[in-house]
Amino acid sequence: MFLGSVIYDKRRSLNLTQGSLADGLCNQNTISKMEKHNMTPQIDVLIKICHRLDLSLNDVFSDFSSDSKQEQLFVLDSIEEDVLLNKLNETEDKLSLIKSNINNKDMAQYDFIIGVLEFQKNNFEKSSFNMDKIFQETKSDNDNIYTLMAYLFKGMIYLQKNHLDMASYYLKNISESLIENFNIANASGVEILFLCKSLGNSYFMINENDAAIKIAERGITFAKSKHLSYFLDELAYLLALGTRDTDTKKSTKYKNIALACSELFDNKDLKNRISANLN
């Protein structure tokens, strides 16, 4: 049974109209389209619909059809994007709803999300453990985005511990994999740009400014080519910082871009860093 059918049957069993189910969550047309299998709503909306109907995501993704698997993948991708963008409200609750339905193919992505959450809590040992699991799940394939993301977080963990040689080792693994292009089969735009801004920032921390500038420039070029705006403020800041002592005109240009984007994205932390480091 597909998601829309589960929603339809449960709604009818509770004597709810489409309008009453949608009230305060979305519009009635969203419920109608979902029940007709014409769309899957945003994850936050889907979670709220499930709560109103007293359903778990396991209930609505209970079948093993290809459509059901695609819907589960959509949910996991949405959770990962929220985590990378530091939108952490209800993240762990959402993960708990789908945990039992994660198949082996998606375990690297699931473990990556858990590892990032642990890193953000400064639980570096737990984060490192999850990243090591990813190497096993991807067989350390450098053409897999989760291998590269695991390298990134292992490097950042060693930076936090001030083990610069080990940090440099993991960062180098990423750079060597990205020498030619960003053509990684299972990578999304947000993953590539997160990788660029985090790798660039890490290079600055170990005083490899040229490498930081290069990856930031490549990130901005990639974002332009794909019409993406993820982390443009952070990438522009890295370029402004990297060229501060060598090219004042370029530094000023990217400082202004970083300021404008940080204002647009309401990135208060970055605005503070610009004020502290580029004035």
Side-chain angles (χ1 to χ4, degrees):
M1 188 178 291
F2 299 147
L3 182 151
S5 300
V6 175
I7 297 297
Y8 173 81
D9 289 345
K10 185 66 173 181
R11 177 179 65 79
R12 292 292 297 273
S13 74
L14 296 174
N15 295 316
L16 293 174
T17 65
Q18 289 182 346
S20 60
L21 175 57
D23 187 32
L25 305 181
C26 56
N27 60 51
Q28 181 179 340
N29 194 42
T30 297
I31 302 296
S32 177
K33 286 184 177 181
M34 183 170 58
E35 291 184 349
K36 293 176 181 176
H37 315 297
N38 289 333
M39 70 171 293
T40 301
Q42 292 294 319
I43 179 61
D44 289 343
V45 174
L46 181 57
I47 292 288
K48 291 173 182 176
I49 290 171
C50 288
H51 283 170
R52 182 162 290 180
L53 294 174
D54 194 26
L55 292 169
S56 71
L57 290 187
N58 288 342
D59 294 327
V60 299
F61 294 143
S62 59
D63 199 13
F64 290 96
S65 68
S66 59
D67 282 4
S68 179
K69 289 180 181 179
Q70 282 299 112
E71 288 164 344
Q72 291 178 59
L73 185 58
F74 164 83
V75 173
L76 201 57
D77 287 345
S78 179
I79 293 172
E80 182 192 338
E81 180 170 324
D82 282 348
V83 169
L84 294 181
L85 296 175
N86 205 32
K87 299 177 181 178
L88 304 180
N89 291 339
E90 301 178 347
T91 297
E92 293 187 1
D93 289 340
K94 295 172 186 176
L95 282 172
S96 68
L97 289 170
I98 64 170
K99 181 178 179 180
S100 64
N101 273 7
I102 302 297
N103 59 40
N104 289 337
K105 179 176 176 292
D106 298 324
M107 277 306 299
Q109 183 178 18
Y110 177 81
D111 284 327
F112 171 66
I113 293 170
I114 298 298
V116 175
L117 291 173
E118 295 294 351
F119 181 88
Q120 291 168 338
K121 297 174 187 174
N122 295 326
N123 294 332
F124 299 130
E125 295 303 322
K126 290 183 178 179
S127 179
S128 183
F129 175 75
N130 274 82
M131 298 306 160
D132 287 335
K133 286 175 64 179
I134 291 169
F135 294 138
Q136 296 177 15
E137 290 155 352
T138 64
K139 304 186 188 312
S140 297
D141 178 6
N142 285 1
D143 290 325
N144 188 308
I145 187 62
Y146 296 110
T147 300
L148 301 185
M149 287 293 204
Y151 287 148
L152 173 66
F153 276 88
K154 291 286 286 190
M156 293 195 297
I157 289 166
Y158 278 114
L159 279 175
Q160 292 294 326
K161 296 180 177 181
N162 205 33
H163 295 168
L164 302 188
D165 288 345
M166 287 301 298
S168 181
Y169 164 77
Y170 281 107
L171 301 182
K172 183 179 178 182
N173 282 341
I174 304 170
S175 296
E176 289 179 348
S177 298
L178 300 177
I179 285 174
E180 294 185 4
N181 55 51
F182 294 142
N183 188 24
I184 303 167
N186 66 327
S188 66
V190 67
E191 289 169 333
I192 292 293
L193 293 173
F194 180 87
L195 195 64
C196 288
K197 76 90 177 176
S198 300
L199 184 58
N201 188 60
S202 297
Y203 272 131
F204 271 122
M205 292 178 68
I206 58 175
N207 297 315
E208 294 190 22
N209 287 15
D210 289 344
I213 291 169
K214 183 176 180 180
I215 196 66
E217 287 177 333
R218 292 183 67 194
I220 287 179
T221 299
F222 176 84
K224 288 180 178 178
S225 71
K226 302 295 184 180
H227 307 289
L228 300 172
S229 61
Y230 301 115
F231 309 114
L232 276 182
D233 51 349
E234 299 277 357
L235 291 166
Y237 169 72
L238 289 176
L239 282 177
L241 194 63
T243 57
R244 176 181 51 187
D245 299 325
T246 58
D247 190 334
T248 303
K249 184 177 180 180
K250 187 173 184 178
S251 180
T252 300
K253 170 187 172 181
Y254 281 105
K255 172 189 172 182
N256 291 335
I257 292 172
L259 275 171
C261 290
S262 64
E263 184 68 34
L264 180 64
F265 302 152
D266 194 27
N267 190 340
K268 295 183 177 64
D269 174 68
L270 181 59
K271 284 189 280 188
N272 290 335
R273 280 184 279 148
I274 292 171
S275 177
N277 299 320
L278 291 174
N279 286 332

